[in-house]
Amino acid sequence: MGELMTIGAFARASRLSPKALRLYDELGLLAPAQVDPDSGYRRYAPEQLDQARLVAWLRRLGMPLARIREVCALHARDGRAAAAELRAYWAQVEAETAARRDLAAFLVDHLAGKESAAMAPTAHPLTIRYAALSDTGLVRDTNQDAAYAGDRLLAVADGFGAGGASAAAGAVDALRQLEDDGLPAGNLLNVLEDAVGRARTAVRGVADAMPEEPVGTTLTAMLWTGSQLALVHIGDSRAYLLRDGELFQITHDHTMVQSLVDEGRLTAEEAASHPQRSLLVKALGAGEAFEPELRLQEARAGDRYLLCSDGLSAVVASNDVHRVVAEAAEPAAAVRELVALARESGAPDNVSCVVAHVRPAAA
Ligand code: MN
């Protein structure tokens, strides 16, 4: 260890104030190498300069204190481990920000009255054609998925646990009320929230009947307003949009492996073959108060949407999904062909698909 420095000299060398250094000590982030028992003077080792600067940068980043301690502890042993921890932290910040950004965009559209404008007759009214198909697959005894498509609602749910089939069906049935209710203008957000509340109540009802079993369901659903699709999503079922020839996955899987991919701890290829790839971090289930993500999708004539359970996305390559969705003349043909592809790949899980085509309404 080099010669110890006074707090003043250390502050100048680290370009931090003595006040900041005292604070870092109080917070347990950077203790002086020596505190004189008589005078209370703090002395620092030159080797601590690196850590002092690191603490300052991490605080500037907004990292919570406990996490700064973790990064510093890792940094003392292994720079790469500290880098990985920092990368993981930042991925988490970005994921949280993305979820908030979606909700903010939804609210902006909502408050700007886009929705009520959309309810008025437009120059180019749109309509959807749709089809849904759910298949037990080749390995499972029962089908715990539910798929539905109607004039207003598209939905896929993938239940798990002993009551999984009832949970999935209950969640989708709860949303089906949206088919009948009609949409009061300016009220889309509340309508959706109520529908999600009914779905959650339905799943809880199933869970309460079998308290010793974890029961729940994913839910990916879109409500058609006439020019927009409001998306509700929780779990690892997916929604895709085909627009201008490109296929976009517009939902984010709420799975453990997707979190690890987001954090840079796992590659997408490793995630695809991970033994625990279906482990969910969020679902509609008993005792969990996770809120589904909400989003508004502006529809255009020519858009095609696919909602599917992981029984499709886990076994059929995305370029095959893309080709089928793009080339099928009718939604019914698309869902049949997608399920057939999953079965050709062994269909180890239940497979559900909903396809919708957005078209100009007939005059
Ligand atoms: Mn599944």
Side-chain angles (χ1 to χ4, degrees):
M1 199 182 275
E3 200 171 329
L4 294 183
M5 306 163 77
T6 64
I7 191 168
F10 190 78
R12 279 190 299 279
S14 63
R15 283 175 290 159
L16 294 164
S17 68
K19 191 176 159 197
L21 291 171
R22 277 191 291 271
L23 177 68
Y24 295 174
D25 183 17
E26 277 164 34
L27 298 175
L29 297 175
L30 182 71
Q34 187 191 81
V35 181
D36 189 294
D38 299 324
S39 64
Y41 284 160
R42 298 148 195 257
R43 292 182 185 279
Y44 290 84
E47 292 78 11
Q48 292 184 290
L49 282 170
D50 253 6
Q51 183 163 341
R53 292 305 294 167
L54 179 60
V55 169
W57 287 118
L58 295 176
R59 280 181 59 80
R60 199 155 144 182
L61 203 55
M63 185 181 276
L65 298 178
R67 198 110 185 211
I68 292 181
R69 264 183 230 119
E70 248 171 76
V71 172
C72 288
L74 287 171
H75 178 240
R77 297 196 300 272
D78 175 4
R80 275 184 313 183
E85 185 59 28
L86 179 51
R87 196 183 312 118
Y89 164 72
W90 193 250
Q92 187 193 333
V93 170
E94 290 196 329
E96 286 164 6
T97 304
R100 293 173 60 206
R101 183 182 55 218
D102 286 346
L103 182 57
F106 189 112
L107 288 168
V108 166
D109 286 352
H110 185 72
L111 294 174
K114 266 186 163 174
E115 179 192 340
S116 39
M119 303 305 287
T122 58
H124 305 287
L126 298 172
T127 185
I128 53 170
R129 294 175 64 87
Y130 47 82
L133 185 59
S134 187
D135 186 84
T136 305
L138 298 171
V139 175
R140 301 278 172 92
D141 295 330
T142 58
N143 191 348
Q144 298 200 312
D145 282 2
Y148 175 83
D151 285 338
R152 285 192 183 281
L153 181 71
L154 313 168
V156 165
D158 179 348
F160 55 85
S166 308
V172 171
D173 279 347
L175 291 193
R176 279 174 65 170
Q177 278 190 32
L178 297 171
E179 288 278 18
D180 310 325
D181 285 355
L183 287 181
N187 211 10
L188 182 58
L189 195 62
N190 297 343
V191 166
L192 279 175
E193 191 170 36
D194 291 350
V196 168
R198 288 197 300 273
R200 179 177 288 123
T201 304
V203 175
R204 289 229 171 104
V206 175
D208 288 348
M210 43 189 76
E212 66 289 349
E213 287 273 344
V215 180
T217 185
T218 71
L219 181 63
T220 300
M222 300 188 99
L223 179 66
W224 173 243
T225 69
S227 66
Q228 290 179 314
L229 284 151
L231 172 75
V232 174
H233 169 68
I234 188 164
D236 69 345
S237 299
R238 291 180 175 177
Y240 292 88
L241 164 64
L242 181 91
R243 177 175 284 175
D244 299 332
E246 275 198 79
L247 189 72
F248 306 93
Q249 183 183 335
I250 59 172
T251 51
H252 194 78
D253 294 350
H254 296 137
T255 55
M256 192 58 76
V257 294
Q258 185 59 49
S259 312
L260 294 173
V261 171
D262 295 343
E263 293 177 1
R265 295 174 195 263
L266 210 62
T267 66
E269 293 72 36
E270 287 164 343
S273 58
H274 197 282
Q276 289 192 301
R277 62 182 172 275
S278 61
L279 194 65
L280 296 177
V281 291
K282 280 190 202 172
L284 217 52
E288 290 153 357
F290 295 123
E291 289 300 327
E293 293 174 15
L294 297 175
R295 175 125 41 97
L296 277 181
Q297 286 284 132
E298 202 74 39
R300 288 192 209 156
D303 283 349
R304 295 182 173 191
Y305 285 89
L306 165 68
L307 274 52
C308 67
S309 62
D310 66 334
L312 181 80
S313 52
V315 298
V316 179
S318 61
N319 52 342
D320 289 329
V321 172
H322 185 170
R323 179 179 49 77
V324 172
V325 173
E327 293 178 1
E330 289 294 330
V335 295
R336 274 199 309 272
E337 194 171 340
L338 290 169
V339 169
L341 284 177
R343 292 177 70 93
E344 279 169 29
S345 304
D349 191 5
N350 308 143
V351 192
S352 295
C353 304
V354 172
V355 169
H357 292 182
V358 179
R359 299 180 165 196

